[in-house]
């Protein structure tokens, strides 16, 4: 029944709108919004309305209007406290309204930053209000005008007769309620859109007109008063539209007209109540302030106002002992909530404290200037303390039992009071920490969602910026409890997954172990693998066992061992023919023939220390060796069972001191330890640079390219990845898998779209998605 009564009270106001827009010809965008909540919410929270206009006709203005209308409506009607109003009588709509505007301020600031909105608050003209039980609460920002049309005072008979003789509409008075707000906003330099809320009762048969700045410039207040007070709201609005429609100007006009249709309240016996004792808006706001303060006060804290009031009531000569002088508001129907003297008192206390702190050094300086006085003070401290102690202890013992009890009770109360203050302070600090944590997690989740949207629309640059912001926020996220640690890890994992999308990471999921050489030989220690396209076999070299393991295409492993050969190493496998491979054996070259399953020792004239050769490859039946000590690539021709006539292939100065590997496909690629690669043709360096990858290459171990294959491959075990480039240096993607952290070598079969990896003593196979699916 209470809800029905409240709802009927909401219906006591009629609302009509004025919206004359010139479309694209106008200088701005505007909108009028009247909420349509369900009956329950309207009975508990009233009806919300918004009048908004933005200068500038662009997509950003429209985006801001839609955002503000949506968030204000959501923050007000979706507040959980609305449903609590039936049980908590002191919880009022204005409290929820103020909270909704405060939250909107914060959300709009974040929205402007995230969406890079360049519209200033001064360009936004917005009036937001609610009507609840014949009471209006509203906030205004910008140049909108809020006019109140109300009947003047007619308490005496003479005024009544004069009013009846006047023409209709002339007995109404007009007040611009937002005038003070506009002046305050012009001086206000804060970034808040809403800073004040005004509240008050709507007078009987009064009108509220909220319009943009342009409308009163074309229709005078006198005309508005004549139209509004003599016609019903719908008729008045049509009359105003008709008048404005005759104006030949590219100006938009917006307005909202509210009429209070409640009948006059029954007259109260003047003998019982004096007219001057009528309740005014300021008194009501003071009561609201006191009630709200009691609700928000922490438990255990003494109510200073209450005790001061009690003490004042006991004082015989208090100032208000006589009859109260109430102030009757005449012209100012609405009053803005005024701040109390609390801040001034705080400022005064801080000022006195600072003066005291300044005086301390002066006192110490004066004290130090008199050294003898310091000696006397030091000499008297000890006996004085002892005498003071004895003196007061003796006084306590001489007290009567009643006073001892009172003293003990006072001490206990002081201790309880101090403990209570300490506990409440701890609670407040804990609550503040929890609120900060919740706000931080909410912000991180919001950034994650924005990054996901950026990735969806291929905005990698925007997503990367958000990832950097998330990383900074994660550094601030506390990890004190197990729950917080888990939350941090969840955010971290989600960030990694999102980063992988911008980093073009492809996870190798379909991994198969082709062979584990330790099962064939428990002492096996292979150091590299080589794939032969001609035989479709994989060769794994094990210099410690002087063996080469041959993995055939049916996964049968054959071991070729020659203990008679002086094998010290089997590095840098390079194609020697269709079924043979060269291995660098420090001072010689080992040729392995898969057809004969035999190894042959070939001599070579190195000219330099063998330990300084760090890479080898073949091209056109010639052997190339990279020496970083002399910054040169040597080319050898084979004659019989030997390589002779070393030729210094690089024809210009070069720096190979940081080189780690080389590969040839017609061009010679030299991989450096910092992740860069040099490209040579006919002995001369050509312009070439690898596109940056995230994270950057920092410790790669191998580069691979061949004449038959389209891509350039770089292995980096430290990051568990194999990075792919095209041969112009453009980054394609990066494969990642945990087993790549122990990867010693890899081989690519682009014809059959397969990749092979040597990790530990195991040889793995994985499909190559970048080459497409195998037919």
């Amino acid at each position: 029944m209470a809800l029905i009564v409240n709802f009927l009270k909401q219906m006591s106001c009629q609302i009509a709108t004025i919206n004359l827009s010139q479309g694209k010809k106008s200088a701005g965008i505007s909108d009028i919004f009247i909420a349509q909540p369900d009956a329950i919410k309207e009975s508990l929270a009233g009806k919300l309305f918004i009048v908004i206009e933005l200068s500038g006709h662009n997509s950003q203005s429209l985006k801001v209007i839609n955002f503000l209308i949506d968030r204000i409506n959501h923050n007000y009607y979706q507040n959980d406290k609305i449903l609590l109003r039936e049980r908590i009588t002191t919880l009022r709509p204005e409290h929820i309204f103020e909270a909704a505007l405060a939250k909107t301020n914060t959300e709009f600031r974040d929205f402007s930053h995230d969406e890079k909105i360049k519209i200033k608050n001064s360009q936004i003209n917005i009036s937001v209000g609610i009507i609840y039980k014949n009471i209006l609460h509203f906030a205004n920002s910008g140049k909108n005008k809020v006019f109140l049309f109300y009947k003047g005072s007619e308490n005496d008979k003479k005024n009544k007769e004069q009013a009846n003789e006047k023409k209709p509409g002339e007995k109404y008075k007009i007040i611009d309620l937002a005038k003070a707000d506009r002046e305050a906003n012009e001086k206000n330099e804060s970034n808040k859109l809403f800073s004040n809320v005004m509240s008050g009762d709507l007078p009987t048969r009064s009108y509220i007109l909220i319009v943009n700045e342009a409308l009163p410039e074309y229709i005078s207040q006198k005309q508005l008063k004549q139209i509004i007070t003599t016609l019903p709201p719908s008729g008045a609005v049509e009359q105003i539209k008709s008048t404005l429609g005759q104006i030949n100007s590219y100006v938009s006009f917006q307005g909202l007209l509210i009429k209070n249709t409640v009948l006059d309240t029954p007259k109260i016996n003047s003998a019982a109540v004096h007219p001057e004792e009528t309740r005014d808006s300021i008194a009501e706001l003071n009561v609201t302030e006191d009630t709200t303060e009691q609700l928000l006060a922490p438990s255990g804290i003494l109510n200073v106002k209450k005790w001061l009031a009690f003490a004042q009531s006991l004082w015989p000569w208090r100032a208000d002992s006589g009859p109260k002088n109430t102030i009757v508001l005449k012209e100012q129907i609405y009053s803005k909530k005024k701040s109390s003297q609390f801040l001034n008192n705080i400022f005064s206390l801080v000022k006195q404290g600072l003066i005291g702190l300044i005086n301390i050094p002066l006192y110490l300086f004066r004290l130090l200037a008199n050294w003898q006085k310091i000696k006397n003070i030091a000499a008297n401290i000890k006996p004085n303390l002892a005498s003071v102690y004895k003196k007061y202890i003796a006084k306590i013992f001489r007290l009567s039992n009643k006073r001892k009890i009172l003293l003990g009770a006072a001490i206990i109360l002081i201790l309880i009071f101090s403990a209570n203050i300490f506990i409440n302070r701890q609670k407040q600090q804990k609550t503040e920490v929890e609120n900060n944590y919740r706000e931080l997690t909410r912000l991180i989740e919001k950034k994650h969602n924005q990054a996901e949207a950026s990735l969806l629309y291929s905005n990698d640059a925007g997503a990367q910026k958000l990832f950097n912001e998330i990383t900074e926020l994660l550094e601030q996220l506390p990890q004190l409890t197990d729950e917080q640690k888990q939350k941090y890890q969840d955010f971290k994992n989600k960030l990694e997954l999102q980063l992988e999308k911008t980093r073009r990471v492809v996870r190798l999921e379909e991994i198969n172990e082709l062979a584990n050489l330790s099962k064939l030989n428990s002492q096996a220690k292979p150091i590299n693998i080589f794939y032969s396209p001609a035989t479709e076999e994989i060769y794994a070299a094990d210099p410690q066992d002087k063996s080469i393991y041959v993995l055939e295409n049916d996964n049968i492993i054959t071991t070729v061992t020659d203990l008679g050969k002086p094998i010290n190493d089997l590095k840098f496998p390079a194609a020697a023919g269709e079924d043979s491979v060269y291995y660098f054996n420090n001072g010689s070259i080992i040729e392995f023939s898969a057809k004969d399953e035999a190894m042959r020792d070939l001599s070579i004239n190195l000219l330099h220390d063998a330990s300084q050769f760090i890479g080898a490859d073949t091209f056109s039946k010639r052997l190339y060796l990279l020496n970083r000590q002399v910054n040169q690539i040597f080319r050898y021709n084979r004659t019989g069972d030997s390589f002779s006539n070393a030729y210094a292939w690089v024809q210009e100065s070069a720096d190979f001191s940081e080189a780690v590997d080389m590969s040839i496909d017609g061009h010679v690629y030299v991989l450096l330890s910092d992740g860069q690669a040099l490209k040579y043709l006919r002995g001369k360096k050509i312009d070439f640079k690898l596109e940056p990858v995230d994270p950057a290459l920092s410790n790669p171990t191998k580069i691979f390219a061949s004449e038959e294959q389209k891509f350039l491959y770089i292995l980096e075990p430290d990051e568990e990845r194999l990075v792919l480039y095209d041969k112009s240096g453009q980054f394609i993607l990066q494969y990642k898998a945990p087993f790549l952290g122990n990867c010693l070598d890899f081989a690519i079969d682009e014809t059959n779209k397969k990749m092979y990896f040597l990790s530990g003593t195991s040889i793995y196979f994985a499909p190559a998605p970048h080459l497409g699916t195998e037919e």
Side-chain angles (χ1 to χ4, degrees):
M1 180 61 71
L3 291 178
I4 295 174
V5 173
N6 289 342
F7 181 72
L8 290 175
K9 290 183 178 180
Q10 306 303 328
M11 302 299 292
S12 62
C13 289
Q14 295 179 3
I15 302 177
T17 61
I18 305 168
N19 194 355
L20 295 177
S21 175
Q22 301 299 328
K24 294 184 178 179
K25 297 179 181 180
S26 63
I29 300 177
S30 60
D31 199 358
I32 298 175
F33 173 79
I34 301 174
Q36 300 297 331
D38 56 56
I40 295 176
K41 285 188 177 178
E42 185 171 350
S43 66
L44 294 173
K47 184 178 286 290
L48 173 74
F49 61 83
I50 302 173
V51 179
I52 182 169
E53 180 185 48
L54 266 73
S55 56
H57 205 290
N58 52 49
S59 59
Q60 279 197 345
S61 298
L62 184 60
K63 188 184 292 185
V64 168
I65 286 178
N66 292 335
F67 175 83
L68 288 174
I69 291 176
D70 176 68
R71 297 317 302 163
I72 294 172
N73 184 50
H74 179 275
N75 292 337
Y76 184 63
Y77 284 115
Q78 300 303 319
N79 195 314
D80 295 337
K81 293 180 181 178
I82 286 180
L83 299 177
L84 297 176
R85 290 203 58 248
E86 288 184 288
R87 295 189 293 271
I88 305 176
T89 57
T90 53
L91 186 60
R92 299 186 178 182
E94 57 263 39
H95 303 154
I96 303 172
F97 183 57
E98 291 173 3
L101 294 183
K103 187 175 181 181
T104 303
N105 279 336
T106 303
E107 291 178 345
F108 181 61
R109 184 174 63 249
D110 294 340
F111 172 78
S112 300
H113 178 267
D114 296 338
E115 298 294 328
K116 297 180 180 178
I117 300 295
K118 297 181 180 180
I119 296 176
K120 299 179 181 179
N121 288 353
S122 58
Q123 296 176 260
I124 303 174
N125 305 315
I126 182 170
S127 300
V128 183
I130 57 170
I131 303 173
Y132 177 76
K133 287 187 179 180
N134 211 38
I135 301 175
L136 176 66
H137 310 281
F138 76 95
N140 194 71
S141 179
K143 300 177 181 179
N144 284 352
K145 297 186 178 182
V146 183
F147 294 114
L148 170 65
F149 297 82
Y150 70 101
K151 289 185 178 181
S153 175
E154 298 179 354
N155 291 331
D156 56 86
K157 183 177 180 181
K158 183 177 179 181
N159 286 343
K160 285 184 179 180
E161 292 174 354
Q162 291 176 353
N164 291 330
E165 293 173 0
K166 293 181 181 179
K167 296 180 181 179
E170 293 185 355
K171 61 183 177 181
Y172 278 87
K173 296 184 178 181
I174 306 177
I175 297 176
D176 184 358
L177 301 177
K179 182 178 181 181
D181 247 354
R182 290 196 300 272
E183 294 173 354
N185 288 336
E186 290 176 0
K187 299 177 182 179
N188 186 17
E189 297 179 356
S190 80
N191 58 354
K192 292 182 180 180
L193 187 61
F194 303 106
S195 56
N196 296 307
V197 174
M198 299 182 71
S199 302
D201 293 332
L202 284 176
T204 303
R205 299 185 182 277
S206 61
Y207 301 83
I208 291 289
L209 178 64
I210 303 172
V211 293
N212 64 339
E213 185 184 23
L215 194 147
E217 295 177 359
Y218 289 87
I219 301 180
S220 66
Q221 291 187 15
K222 184 177 180 180
Q223 287 178 289
L224 287 173
K225 182 173 65 172
Q226 184 71 22
I227 294 171
I228 290 171
T229 60
T230 56
L231 296 174
S234 58
V237 164
E238 292 302 322
Q239 180 64 35
I240 293 173
K241 288 181 180 180
S242 175
T243 303
L244 294 173
Q246 301 172 11
I247 298 172
N248 185 18
S249 175
Y250 296 139
V251 179
S252 296
F253 303 100
Q254 285 77 36
L256 184 73
L257 177 61
I258 304 170
K259 178 183 180 181
N260 179 12
T261 59
V262 175
L263 298 175
D264 293 335
T265 55
K267 295 183 179 180
I268 302 174
N269 188 354
S270 59
V273 180
H274 296 284
E276 62 269 22
E277 293 176 358
T278 305
R279 181 181 62 189
D280 57 62
S281 299
I282 294 178
E284 184 179 0
L285 290 176
N286 289 334
V287 173
T288 302
E289 181 181 359
D290 293 338
T291 307
T292 306
E293 185 176 343
Q294 292 173 13
L295 287 173
L296 299 179
S299 60
I301 297 298
L302 294 177
N303 191 328
V304 178
K305 287 185 177 180
K306 180 178 177 181
W307 286 101
L308 287 176
F310 176 71
Q312 189 177 14
S313 67
L314 298 177
W315 191 254
W317 299 287
R318 58 185 186 275
D320 60 345
S321 57
K324 294 183 179 179
N325 296 321
T326 58
I327 300 174
V328 180
L329 295 179
K330 295 183 179 179
E331 300 297 332
Q332 189 66 26
I333 303 297
Y334 281 74
S335 299
K336 191 178 297 185
K337 295 182 181 179
K338 298 182 180 179
S339 58
S340 64
Q341 295 298 322
F342 179 72
L343 292 178
N344 294 332
N345 295 338
I346 291 295
F347 177 77
S348 177
L349 289 174
V350 171
K351 181 179 178 181
Q352 293 177 8
L354 290 174
I355 293 173
L357 290 174
I358 294 172
N359 287 330
I360 289 175
L362 296 175
Y363 173 76
L364 292 175
F365 177 77
R366 293 172 185 170
L367 192 62
L368 292 173
N370 192 343
W371 183 248
Q372 187 60 40
K373 187 176 181 180
I374 294 175
K375 289 183 177 180
N376 295 336
I377 292 173
N380 292 330
I381 284 176
K382 188 172 181 180
N384 284 343
L385 286 176
S387 62
V388 168
Y389 175 76
K390 292 179 180 179
K391 177 180 178 182
Y392 282 99
I393 290 296
K395 282 187 176 181
I396 291 173
F397 279 106
R398 287 198 298 269
L399 292 174
S400 64
N401 292 335
K402 183 178 180 180
R403 292 189 175 182
K404 287 179 182 178
I405 293 172
L406 290 174
L407 179 61
I411 294 172
I412 292 172
L413 288 174
I414 291 172
L415 292 175
I416 293 173
F417 180 75
S418 302
N420 195 16
I421 291 176
F422 175 77
I423 292 171
N424 278 283
R425 185 174 298 173
Q426 292 295 109
K427 288 181 179 179
Q428 290 176 356
Q429 291 176 352
K430 183 180 179 181
T431 302
E432 184 177 355
V433 170
E434 291 175 350
N435 290 339
N436 291 339
Y437 179 78
R438 281 195 296 269
E439 181 63 22
L440 193 57
T441 54
R442 184 197 66 81
L443 185 58
I444 293 174
E445 289 174 351
K446 180 180 178 182
K447 298 288 184 185
H448 273 306
N449 294 335
Q450 292 173 345
E452 196 69 39
S454 297
L455 293 174
L456 185 63
Y457 292 100
S458 302
N459 182 11
D460 290 350
Q464 188 60 50
K465 182 180 178 181
L466 289 166
F467 293 151
N468 295 335
E469 293 176 3
I470 292 172
T471 302
E472 293 176 1
L473 292 172
L474 284 176
E475 293 176 357
Q476 304 173 27
L477 196 67
Q479 302 180 59
L480 302 177
T481 65
D482 293 340
E483 183 181 354
Q484 290 177 345
K485 291 178 182 178
Q486 183 60 45
K487 192 71 172 177
Y488 174 85
Q489 195 58 46
D490 291 344
F491 282 139
K492 194 75 174 176
N493 294 339
K494 188 173 182 179
L495 176 62
E496 287 299 323
L497 290 175
Q498 290 181 325
L499 280 171
E500 287 184 356
K501 294 180 181 179
T502 59
R503 294 171 175 176
R504 303 179 208 169
V505 173
V506 177
R507 289 281 173 182
L508 292 177
E509 304 292 347
E510 300 179 24
I511 304 168
N512 300 297
E513 186 183 53
L514 295 179
N516 188 341
L517 301 179
S518 63
K519 293 180 180 180
L520 181 67
N521 178 7
S522 61
Q523 302 299 318
K525 288 187 177 180
I527 62 172
N528 55 56
I529 59 174
F530 179 85
Y531 174 76
S532 172
T535 63
E536 295 187 351
E537 295 175 337
I538 298 173
Y539 311 136
D542 183 354
Q544 180 175 296
D545 201 44
K546 298 184 179 183
S547 302
I548 294 177
Y549 305 100
V550 180
L551 179 62
E552 300 176 8
N553 55 13
D554 55 2
N555 291 351
I556 297 175
I557 304 175
T558 303
T559 305
V560 178
T561 304
D562 192 343
L563 300 176
K565 291 287 188 302
I567 298 176
N568 299 316
D569 213 338
L570 293 170
K571 296 187 294 186
F572 319 139
E578 289 187 356
D579 60 354
S580 59
V581 184
Y582 290 140
Y583 290 95
F584 186 72
N585 185 29
N586 288 339
S588 66
I589 300 294
I590 298 294
E591 180 184 18
F592 171 71
S593 173
K595 182 178 180 180
D596 302 331
E597 294 186 354
M599 288 184 278
R600 182 186 301 178
D601 191 16
L602 307 176
S603 63
I604 187 170
N605 185 14
L606 293 177
L607 299 178
H608 299 282
D609 183 7
S611 64
Q612 296 302 314
F613 287 90
I614 51 87
D617 206 349
T618 58
F619 188 77
S620 296
K621 298 182 180 180
R622 292 173 174 175
L623 178 66
Y624 293 78
L625 294 176
L626 172 62
N627 188 299
R628 62 184 174 191
Q629 183 181 33
V630 296
N631 298 313
Q632 186 58 263
I633 297 173
F634 294 98
R635 187 182 70 192
Y636 293 87
N637 293 318
R638 179 177 176 178
T639 305
D641 291 340
S642 66
F643 292 91
S644 58
N645 302 326
Y647 172 71
W649 183 77
V650 177
Q651 302 299 309
E652 58 190 14
S653 60
D655 181 9
F656 298 147
S657 59
E658 298 298 325
V660 294
D661 194 21
M662 69 174 289
S663 189
I664 303 175
D665 67 350
H667 294 87
V668 176
Y669 299 91
V670 178
L671 179 65
L672 306 180
S673 61
D674 63 358
Q676 286 302 315
L678 308 176
K679 189 174 183 179
Y680 286 84
L681 180 65
R682 300 186 184 92
K684 293 185 178 181
K685 183 181 176 182
I686 62 177
D687 289 337
F688 178 77
K689 188 175 182 180
L690 295 177
E691 183 183 357
V693 61
D694 185 22
L697 289 163
S698 59
N699 189 25
T701 58
K702 180 175 179 175
I703 187 170
F704 175 73
S706 73
E707 189 175 8
E708 299 81 14
Q709 301 185 3
K710 299 182 292 185
F711 296 97
L712 191 64
Y713 301 84
I714 296 178
L715 177 66
E716 188 178 27
D718 285 357
E719 292 292 335
E720 301 179 345
R721 63 180 173 173
L722 179 67
V723 186
L724 276 67
Y725 296 88
D726 65 17
K727 292 189 177 180
S728 66
Q730 293 297 310
F731 169 63
I732 304 300
L733 58 84
Q734 49 185 323
Y735 289 114
K736 297 199 76 172
F739 77 91
L740 292 177
N742 297 319
C743 189
L744 302 173
D745 201 0
F746 69 94
I748 306 295
D749 177 11
E750 288 196 352
T751 302
N752 296 312
K753 302 176 178 61
K754 295 179 180 180
M755 300 185 291
Y756 301 98
F757 301 93
L758 174 64
S759 181
T761 60
S762 296
I763 298 174
Y764 293 94
F765 150 75
H770 69 285
L771 299 173
T773 57
E774 186 175 0
E775 297 180 356

